[in-house]
Amino acid sequence: MLEKFGMDNAKESRVPLSECMKQGKEESDEELVVQYQQLVGQLLYLSTTVRPDIAHAASVLSRYMSKPAQEHWKAAKRVLKYLKGTRTHEAEYMAVSACVKEALWIRNFLGSLMNGTWDGILILNDNQATLRMINDLNSVSRSKHIDIQHHFVRERAVRGEVKFHYCPTDIMLADYLTKILPSSRFEEIRDALHVVKKQE
């Protein structure tokens, strides 16, 4: 999303919007209207799915969909700057939430097969900010805009049902499932996972 709108190298913003806006009086360029509608549409989708912290900003920006001015376009791009500054560890935290759900299901399934209980399932993560959010109770007030359902991760960790360890990126074998890698790194991970028989 940042790359699509040319904001991948933009300076980060601490807040989504910083000032009130009014309906523009100048004529809107057709290309600007299309780009603005595309961007605000994507922001609205994010605000209703995984980023409630931008809900107000997206709502305000949506008022100018039919006739956006340059100030509205700049304000919409400011939301992207805000997302750029907050997206990585929060997205990772939500991914960890989904991982924990799967891990707990596997733990319960194996427990029923073996007629017993299993110790905490080990989950490796290469994002230290995410691990701090899980382990530091003081981070709750700084991450309230993350949907409350994701905070069950911390609860399960406290119970000992899952355990989190830091795994440096350069030895994270799951990388080839989520990233485009150089052929040498891809083959290294593939061979380590024994996905295919190594050629002699």
Side-chain angles (χ1 to χ4, degrees):
M1 189 174 174
L2 290 170
E3 186 176 349
K4 177 181 179 180
F5 293 99
M7 300 295 289
D8 43 336
N9 294 319
K11 185 178 179 182
E12 299 169 2
S13 173
R14 295 179 63 184
V15 293
L17 288 181
S18 62
E19 56 188 24
C20 295
M21 294 177 294
K22 297 180 180 179
Q23 185 70 46
K25 294 182 179 180
E26 69 269 23
E27 287 295 320
S28 298
D29 178 81
E30 185 176 341
E31 184 179 350
L32 173 63
V33 173
V34 172
Q35 286 188 317
Y36 184 84
Q37 290 175 347
Q38 288 178 347
L39 174 52
V40 175
Q42 291 184 37
L43 294 176
L44 284 167
Y45 175 77
L46 283 178
S47 73
T48 59
T49 53
V50 295
R51 294 303 302 263
D53 54 320
I54 65 167
H56 176 68
S59 175
V60 170
L61 293 169
S62 70
R63 299 172 190 168
Y64 310 100
M65 294 282 264
S66 62
K67 192 180 177 183
Q70 282 296 329
E71 68 167 313
H72 307 132
W73 178 239
K74 290 179 182 177
K77 291 197 292 185
R78 183 187 180 94
V79 180
L80 287 180
K81 292 179 181 180
Y82 169 74
L83 291 174
K84 182 176 186 287
T86 59
R87 63 184 180 144
T88 304
H89 69 272
E90 291 170 4
E92 286 271 355
Y93 192 70
M94 292 176 186
V96 164
S97 170
C99 179
V100 169
K101 290 176 185 176
E102 293 295 323
L104 292 175
W105 185 89
I106 292 171
R107 180 175 183 265
N108 292 336
F109 177 69
L110 293 176
S112 65
L113 286 179
M114 305 297 181
N115 197 24
T117 58
W118 284 69
D119 292 334
I121 292 183
L122 178 63
I123 297 176
L124 302 178
N125 190 284
D126 63 354
N127 189 291
Q128 297 196 51
T130 300
L131 295 176
R132 283 195 295 272
M133 288 179 73
I134 294 169
N135 297 318
D136 181 10
L137 294 178
N138 294 323
S139 71
V140 175
S141 61
R142 299 193 299 271
S143 56
K144 282 184 178 178
H145 54 274
I146 298 180
D147 196 292
I148 194 66
Q149 65 176 308
H150 296 292
H151 286 293
F152 91 100
V153 172
R154 183 182 289 115
E155 179 185 340
R156 300 295 179 161
V158 170
R159 290 184 188 177
E161 296 175 5
V162 291
K163 298 177 182 177
F164 293 93
H165 286 181
Y166 173 69
C167 177
T169 302
D170 57 351
I171 61 171
M172 175 62 79
L173 296 181
D175 266 4
Y176 94 121
L177 299 173
T178 60
K179 299 175 183 174
I180 298 175
L181 300 172
S183 57
S184 58
R185 175 64 175 156
F186 179 87
E187 291 170 355
E188 177 187 345
I189 294 176
R190 183 194 63 194
D191 293 343
L193 292 172
H194 304 287
V195 174
V196 296
K197 187 176 181 180
K198 190 173 182 180
Q199 297 292 326
E200 297 297 335

